[in-house]
Amino acid sequence: SADFLFKFLVIGNAGTGKSCLLHQFIENNFKDDSNHTIGVEFGSKIINVVNKFVKLQIWDTAGQERFRSVTRSYYRGAAGALLVYDITSRETYNALTNWLTDARMLASQNIVIILCGNKKDLDADREVTFLEASRFAQENELMFLETSALTGENVEEAFVQCARKILNKIESGELDPERMGSGIQYGDAALRQLRSPRRAQAESVQECSC
Amino acid sequence: MLRKRRSSSRGKAPARGRSSTRSNNIITPAEGRRRSINTPPRSSSRTRSVNTPPRSSSRTGSVNTQFRSRSRSVNTPPRSSSRSVNTPPRSSSRSRSVNTPPSSRSRCVNTPPRSSSRSVNTPPSSSSVNTAVRSRRSSGKAPVRGRSSSVNTTVRGRSSSGKAPVRGRSSSVNTTVRGRSSSGKAPVRGRSSSGKAPVRGKSSIGKAPVSGRSSIGKAPVRGRSSIGKAPVWGRSSMGKAPVRGGRGRSNVGFDEFGFSYIKRRERTLQHRSHDYSYPQPNPIKVKELCELLSYWNGSSFICRSQIERFIRIGIPPALRCRVWKCLLDIEKVRDASSFNYQVCLREIRKPLVDLSVSEYSIISAISTLGERENEFGSAAAESLGVDVALFRQIALDLQRSFPTHRSLMGDSPEAIEGQAKLFRVLTAYASYNPQIGYSQGMSYIAAVLLMLLGEEDAFWALVVLLEKPKYLSELFDSSLKKIQHQALVFQQLLKHRKPQVYQHLENLGVSSVHFIMQWFLTLFTSLPCWDSVLAIWDLFLLHGMVVVFRAGLTVLQLLESRLMSMSEEAAVLPVLLHVPIDVSQYRVLIPALWSTEVQEWEITCMNRLILEETDEGHDAEERSRNSPRSLSRVDQTEHRAKVEKNEAPGKEAVGTGGRNVFARMLKAAHRYLADVSKQSVTKISDSPPEAEFGSRGSSSSQTQRRPVHPDWNEASAEHQESPCRILSPGRAPLTEIIIGSSSSIQIRESQLI
């Protein structure tokens, strides 16, 4: 019953809370006894974005460096990605450049990436300031949000904003869902009613910091 | 009536008198407010009080701890109305609950009449101090345990011995007090809000480390009173009762394998099943097995075929430790190796001290290591002689490997010890084999070993598993190439055995690597039924890698109808990544596993095929579609048509020399047999490989300790067969027959090679 189907990727260093973000998004609660991910985890959810039902297929990857070679195979055909770091760990923030390089190289040109500074609830231990990260996001043309998988703050927003931006791109014609490897498919509903060429509104961009 | 009951209970716990000589007095001023938790485990025949003002009768230990976190006073006046301690009677124990006002000596005892639950349920808002006391007079030990959701403490005691450990924990303050009057240890643990302020102190009793953590924003409201409603846990037929513990949850118990029960509310999310269906061991068989183990000889064919018989019946959990030790030949490996685990730990300790990190406070270790990593950068860290990133990665994964197992879950003393052990084993392995170091997934394997074996044995077992080609060697290397290769091999196996499933997955775009990584790298420990996991491990330890393929194939066979009815990747993958309980149950999965035959040579042949294909740069799928094996397995006519259809393009693709697949399969089989016969020759003439197993790395320098077996090194894993592989029953007759007629092949093959 979805209009579109987007393939999403969750990437970032180990221990930044990628799986917890996904779990929070899908189940709406925090998984405090979570296993570390080996290879890949998978989740899907239908969300409503700008009156469209979008089914997200989310691939949650392992964070350790040596799994990078496997993670790379998932970039192909991803429409969006959540690039996650831990605001209490500068090291995970420093690694962002590497992750971005991978994503830019291996994913499709039009992949929409949102930067997520996770563990927002641990503000007392913060090592990466909001300003610094949002500057990094602007420089690299990323959307940016600080999230908390524990409290659920901004978790849904991160996925929704990413999806919204992709929809905008589709509507503005920048992205062609029918192109192979775009990570986007038409759902059943969309096949019935052809896409309405509404003007891309800047509302999604207003909400995020870039 | 309450009073009467209590006094009778006092009279029945005489042996606690010993512990009354010692007590811990922990006073924790925090942010101006003063909290004092005094736990005199002086469980004399009369009383025990968990919360008493500092002027209590404690004489010995006193630990003062500064907490950064906000805290709540523990000493609060009791309101008897808010108390609800629910301690159901169990057959072997008497249960009582005592409500203890901190400032007075008088206590009320509340025993709910015949409740079926064992949980201590207290309204979280309650400010009272509740102490539930259970005593077991029949047993020889007298642990006294306390836990509380706010300020409530359960004290459990078994009388009539000199031991009287006391435990206390709370979700808000998280204080665990364990005192053992005989040993005099009383570690008190908790976590501070940042997790960075562990304070350790030594009291005059002995050890009394204290650290603190307040659960920020997390403090789950647990322990709503549900008298008489608590689920009955555990298999009563096993005669084992769930044991209390966990992370500040009042409704947590553990099953017989040590996995925690989670409250009903969270059941939908629960990963582990606690409904075990492994067969009850027959006492006669158990005796036979014990006998077999007493004269066990790892290289004996008879022993191995015998043990396979027992594995088929089902290894009793109590004997599994011995069986595994025998199958892995840990003793031999350790004796043959010059690597010394204890020495290695001492070497690791130095840099850890330099970094001011302790494996006993993992949370703070993670952040400290993170800071150090930032400060030094990778270059400076190397100058220290350690890999800070490695330590940090290991520390990160400790609490994320079997997070619901009692030995690793939360911050109970048992879990802290368990995590420390796991840390030591993994760091020791990383220094044993620095080239592989630590990879995610290893911690699951090491943790399983630690559940059954002692620390050092577990280390050596891990070494055997990760180094022997028969098991997981090279699977965790830094490029993870081999596992991706194994995924292709599995795909081939699936294609031959279950072509429909293979085709279906192919059509949906599900690549085998997605689920194979998890299945293989964690050795199926993600299956929800632990008895099945252990049964797979039993067989795996006997036969090696082929069992993993076999188990994978079995799972897919069992899931076949379900998978075939699914029409999208998004539906298939979750089922494969989280195999449903009904499929992974022992009574379903294990019989199916035994009836699924996967032969060593099958895997080897497919391995060769994949290797050849990747070497020649051909598409892997085209090849094996023409493979003769599929003919025997599936509908003949259908496949003949397929083969005919694909014959021509296949030949075109091969190009080089025009060899057909059959010839290559034959060649691969020949090569395998040649290897086998060569090995059987060397086996007779040479010393068994096990003797050489640990012989390398005699120098003390770490870099030279690269633990590669001289034999294992020179050829790829699939060439290298350990003798036990050949001897494995079931396939032995087959290979023997062929070996007999393959001497000429051997010559030809050696010329080819």
Side-chain angles (χ1 to χ4, degrees):
Chain A
S1 61
D3 296 301
F4 290 103
L5 194 152
F6 294 167
K7 181 180 164 186
F8 270 34
L9 210 57
V10 189
I11 50 175
N13 265 24
T16 50
K18 296 179 292 298
S19 300
C20 290
L21 270 182
L22 177 62
H23 193 270
Q24 174 66 257
F25 176 61
I26 305 242
E27 306 276 349
N28 286 322
N29 62 27
F30 178 66
K31 194 172 196 305
D32 62 350
D33 50 3
S34 122
N35 287 295
H36 61 270
T37 309
I38 303 297
V40 74
E41 278 290 335
F42 184 83
S44 64
K45 187 176 179 177
I46 295 177
I47 53 171
N48 190 348
V49 190
V50 214
N51 297 324
K52 290 238 161 56
F53 286 100
V54 178
K55 180 165 189 178
L56 300 182
Q57 282 191 357
I58 307 152
W59 298 74
D60 167 31
T61 61
Q64 202 191 5
E65 178 73 33
R66 67 182 68 192
F67 283 84
R68 200 73 70 91
S69 66
V70 184
T71 307
R72 287 199 178 111
S73 60
Y74 295 104
Y75 283 104
R76 208 162 48 91
L82 273 81
L83 177 53
V84 187
Y85 72 96
D86 172 359
I87 64 158
T88 69
S89 161
R90 177 153 288 278
E91 184 219 342
T92 63
Y93 175 78
N94 292 340
L96 291 178
T97 332
N98 284 338
W99 286 108
L100 262 184
T101 320
D102 264 15
R104 297 278 189 229
M105 230 164 60
L106 299 161
S108 78
Q109 285 281 306
N110 291 309
I111 187 169
V112 174
I113 303 175
I114 182 163
L115 183 65
C116 296
N118 197 24
K119 309 198 188 174
K120 194 179 182 219
D121 49 292
L122 295 174
D123 204 53
D125 299 327
R126 180 190 282 277
E127 284 181 7
V128 183
T129 62
F130 182 87
L131 222 65
E132 189 183 2
S134 66
R135 201 185 145 84
F136 175 85
Q138 277 178 16
E139 282 168 2
N140 292 283
E141 292 176 84
L142 309 171
M143 293 189 284
F144 174 55
L145 272 181
E146 282 196 341
T147 59
S148 167
L150 180 74
T151 62
E153 190 181 348
N154 279 344
V155 173
E156 178 127 12
E157 282 84 330
F159 287 92
V160 169
Q161 281 199 16
C162 198
R164 195 180 298 161
K165 187 146 183 185
I166 295 168
L167 272 181
N168 285 346
K169 278 191 168 187
I170 292 171
E171 284 176 0
S172 68
E174 208 179 320
L175 255 175
D176 182 9
E178 278 150 47
R179 206 171 50 88
M180 281 293 285
S182 64
I184 302 164
Q185 287 169 28
Y186 282 118
D188 307 333
L191 291 175
R192 276 184 266 113
Q193 49 161 62
L194 285 167
R195 59 184 157 142
S196 54
R198 275 208 298 159
R199 281 242 48 85
Q201 287 154 9
E203 54 185 36
S204 68
V205 187
Q206 278 165 13
E207 274 170 41
C208 73
S209 64
C210 50
Chain B
M1 181 266 183
L2 293 178
R3 226 157 233 293
K4 197 178 169 189
R5 275 270 212 153
R6 193 189 95 252
S7 60
S8 73
S9 77
R10 284 173 179 176
K12 278 178 183 173
R16 290 193 200 96
R18 273 259 240 147
S19 57
S20 72
T21 55
R22 288 162 195 277
S23 66
N24 315 318
N25 183 2
I26 300 113
I27 302 158
T28 314
E31 284 180 5
R33 265 205 274 170
R34 210 172 155 79
R35 179 216 300 153
S36 58
I37 308 159
N38 297 311
T39 314
R42 44 167 199 86
S43 32
S44 69
S45 58
R46 293 179 303 131
T47 56
R48 50 221 81 73
S49 92
V50 173
N51 295 300
T52 38
R55 55 128 200 95
S56 81
S57 61
S58 64
R59 275 170 239 162
T60 38
S62 121
V63 182
N64 294 336
T65 315
Q66 294 279 349
F67 277 68
R68 285 203 315 174
S69 57
R70 62 213 126 92
S71 63
R72 207 180 299 168
S73 169
V74 178
N75 286 331
T76 35
R79 288 195 347 241
S80 55
S81 60
S82 65
R83 172 220 329 144
S84 78
V85 177
N86 185 7
T87 316
R90 293 198 311 122
S91 55
S92 64
S93 71
R94 298 205 51 173
S95 63
R96 269 149 258 149
S97 52
V98 183
N99 189 4
T100 315
S103 55
S104 79
R105 291 249 145 176
S106 66
R107 275 162 215 98
C108 323
V109 182
N110 177 19
T111 312
R114 26 181 80 248
S115 151
S116 65
S117 87
R118 300 181 57 240
S119 57
V120 179
N121 296 314
T122 312
S125 58
S126 151
S127 58
S128 69
V129 180
N130 295 321
T131 310
V133 184
R134 297 169 67 242
S135 83
R136 221 182 266 179
R137 301 188 62 231
S138 54
S139 79
K141 288 176 186 174
V144 183
R145 279 183 169 201
R147 47 151 46 223
S148 64
S149 64
S150 54
V151 206
N152 308 306
T153 309
T154 313
V155 182
R156 237 202 225 176
R158 282 186 214 159
S159 55
S160 83
S161 100
K163 287 184 182 177
V166 179
R167 279 181 171 198
R169 54 174 20 244
S170 67
S171 67
S172 60
V173 187
N174 267 352
T175 308
T176 311
V177 182
R178 194 198 244 180
R180 207 175 276 177
S181 52
S182 55
S183 68
K185 284 182 188 175
V188 181
R189 290 201 183 91
R191 290 191 211 145
S192 76
S193 65
S194 62
K196 277 183 191 170
V199 184
R200 291 180 169 237
K202 278 200 180 175
S203 74
S204 53
I205 314 175
K207 290 181 193 169
V210 180
S211 51
R213 179 205 211 185
S214 76
S215 41
I216 345 106
K218 274 185 193 174
V221 181
R222 293 206 170 93
R224 286 207 187 90
S225 96
S226 57
I227 302 170
K229 275 185 200 166
V232 181
W233 296 316
R235 277 216 284 175
S236 53
S237 65
M238 296 307 296
K240 281 179 189 173
V243 188
R244 196 70 43 72
R247 41 171 79 163
R249 295 174 178 186
S250 49
N251 269 346
V252 173
F254 295 108
D255 68 19
E256 60 190 288
F257 291 113
F259 287 96
S260 79
Y261 301 99
I262 298 172
K263 281 200 299 180
R264 213 165 271 237
R265 188 169 60 82
E266 298 163 27
R267 181 146 296 180
T268 48
L269 310 173
Q270 198 173 344
H271 170 55
R272 299 275 168 205
S273 158
H274 306 289
D275 178 22
Y276 299 119
S277 53
Y278 65 88
Q280 294 298 324
N282 174 345
I284 301 161
K285 296 285 176 196
V286 172
K287 215 176 160 191
E288 279 176 31
L289 177 59
C290 286
E291 251 169 58
L292 171 66
L293 293 176
S294 63
Y295 60 80
W296 173 259
N297 174 5
S299 49
S300 150
F301 170 70
I302 298 161
C303 281
R304 290 192 160 264
S305 64
Q306 288 257 326
I307 198 106
E308 188 177 32
R309 204 164 53 86
F310 286 111
I311 292 173
R312 188 162 200 156
I313 300 167
I315 302 285
L319 286 177
R320 186 161 275 125
C321 165
R322 280 180 69 195
V323 172
W324 284 16
K325 273 189 195 173
C326 288
L327 288 172
L328 290 168
D329 253 342
I330 296 171
E331 306 274 311
K332 241 186 211 172
V333 173
R334 180 185 21 218
D335 294 346
S337 173
S338 60
F339 185 90
N340 186 317
Y341 180 69
Q342 298 302 337
V343 170
C344 172
L345 285 188
R346 249 172 275 144
E347 277 168 19
I348 292 168
R349 187 136 332 266
K350 281 175 217 155
L352 281 180
V353 170
D354 288 345
L355 294 164
S356 63
V357 165
S358 162
E359 74 263 33
Y360 285 96
S361 51
I362 289 303
I363 299 280
S364 73
I366 292 168
S367 56
T368 317
L369 286 167
E371 282 163 21
R372 291 288 182 280
E373 210 174 351
N374 291 328
E375 282 169 28
F376 299 155
S378 52
E382 272 168 31
S383 69
L384 267 172
V386 284
D387 191 345
V388 181
L390 176 106
F391 284 151
R392 183 170 180 273
Q393 183 65 58
I394 293 176
L396 264 180
D397 291 341
L398 294 179
Q399 295 192 321
R400 305 193 294 158
S401 315
F402 304 117
T404 58
H405 192 268
R406 57 182 305 168
S407 69
L408 292 161
M409 163 177 184
D411 44 23
S412 68
E414 185 184 1
I416 288 185
E417 185 60 46
Q419 289 165 11
K421 274 190 206 165
L422 186 54
F423 183 85
R424 288 194 291 264
V425 168
L426 290 171
T427 45
Y429 179 75
S431 74
Y432 180 86
N433 188 343
Q435 286 192 0
I436 286 184
Y438 169 74
S439 170
Q440 290 193 316
M442 274 182 197
S443 60
Y444 290 107
I445 293 171
V448 175
L449 295 169
L450 275 169
M451 285 174 201
L452 280 151
L453 308 170
E455 186 178 331
E456 197 170 341
D457 283 339
F459 167 76
W460 286 109
L462 184 70
V463 168
V464 175
L465 286 183
L466 297 183
E467 300 285 326
K468 261 198 177 183
K470 177 186 176 183
Y471 301 117
L472 301 170
S473 73
E474 295 174 29
L475 222 54
F476 286 103
D477 69 348
S478 52
S479 66
L480 288 178
K481 265 196 187 123
K482 187 166 175 192
I483 183 67
Q484 295 177 60
H485 174 81
Q486 299 282 41
L488 290 176
V489 173
F490 184 82
Q491 208 159 322
Q492 290 300 312
L493 183 73
L494 187 65
K495 189 186 228 171
H496 292 144
R497 293 300 199 81
K498 288 274 156 203
Q500 293 95 332
V501 179
Y502 167 81
Q503 201 52 50
H504 185 65
L505 293 182
E506 195 84 331
N507 294 343
L508 298 181
V510 181
S511 154
S512 61
V513 79
H514 298 331
F515 51 91
I516 283 305
M517 297 238 334
Q518 199 201 58
W519 288 359
F520 282 29
L521 291 183
T522 67
L523 288 176
F524 288 95
T525 51
S526 57
L527 294 185
C529 301
W530 198 247
D531 47 351
S532 304
V533 173
L534 292 174
I536 293 173
W537 274 59
D538 292 337
L539 199 57
F540 167 73
L541 296 185
L542 179 66
H543 291 320
M545 218 41 209
V546 69
V547 174
V548 181
F549 283 97
R550 197 166 151 186
L553 191 64
T554 311
V555 170
L556 277 171
Q557 274 172 358
L558 291 171
L559 286 172
E560 182 174 2
S561 58
R562 212 168 308 186
L563 293 178
M564 296 305 282
S565 67
M566 291 171 176
S567 58
E568 57 175 337
E569 190 180 25
V572 168
L573 261 180
V575 174
L576 292 173
L577 288 169
H578 305 276
V579 180
I581 289 173
D582 57 323
V583 164
S584 52
Q585 271 176 328
Y586 189 101
R587 68 173 91 91
V588 176
L589 182 63
I590 301 307
L593 175 68
W594 280 98
S595 60
T596 307
E597 285 260 320
V598 175
Q599 302 292 347
E600 199 81 55
W601 58 266
E602 252 178 298
I603 303 295
T604 315
C605 288
M606 276 155 205
N607 228 326
R608 292 275 157 78
L609 273 181
I610 302 273
L611 276 178
E612 246 177 64
E613 272 154 23
T614 46
D615 283 353
E616 292 173 17
H618 284 303
D619 181 21
E621 292 151 31
E622 293 240 328
R623 294 294 173 90
S624 47
R625 202 173 292 170
N626 299 337
S627 154
R629 263 211 72 81
S630 55
L631 287 175
S632 61
R633 293 277 162 194
V634 241
D635 194 296
Q636 294 251 349
T637 51
E638 192 189 311
H639 256 259
R640 206 162 280 158
K642 253 190 191 173
V643 170
E644 278 162 17
K645 221 170 80 185
N646 290 313
E647 197 79 59
K651 269 182 185 171
E652 275 165 26
V654 172
T656 56
R659 282 176 298 164
N660 63 25
V661 176
F662 183 73
R664 282 187 296 117
M665 283 286 284
L666 204 64
K667 196 179 142 199
H670 284 177
R671 231 183 264 169
Y672 171 77
L673 290 171
D675 285 351
V676 167
S677 47
K678 255 185 239 162
Q679 280 222 344
S680 52
V681 170
T682 48
K683 209 210 129 213
I684 295 158
S685 56
D686 298 350
S687 59
E690 274 84 354
E692 299 162 31
F693 181 81
S695 60
R696 61 345 223 245
S698 50
S699 78
S700 60
S701 122
Q702 285 207 352
T703 45
Q704 283 179 316
R705 209 181 276 150
R706 168 76 182 104
V708 174
H709 191 284
D711 285 351
W712 305 347
N713 210 4
E714 57 198 22
S716 64
E718 57 274 7
H719 287 252
Q720 281 293 308
E721 309 291 338
S722 104
C724 20
R725 251 186 180 187
I726 306 154
L727 294 174
S728 55
R731 54 203 73 124
L734 179 74
T735 37
E736 268 164 21
I737 292 159
I738 309 174
I739 287 167
S741 65
S742 70
S743 51
S744 59
I745 295 166
Q746 189 190 338
I747 297 160
R748 274 221 323 265
E749 285 298 327
S750 58
Q751 284 166 345
L752 276 171
I753 293 161

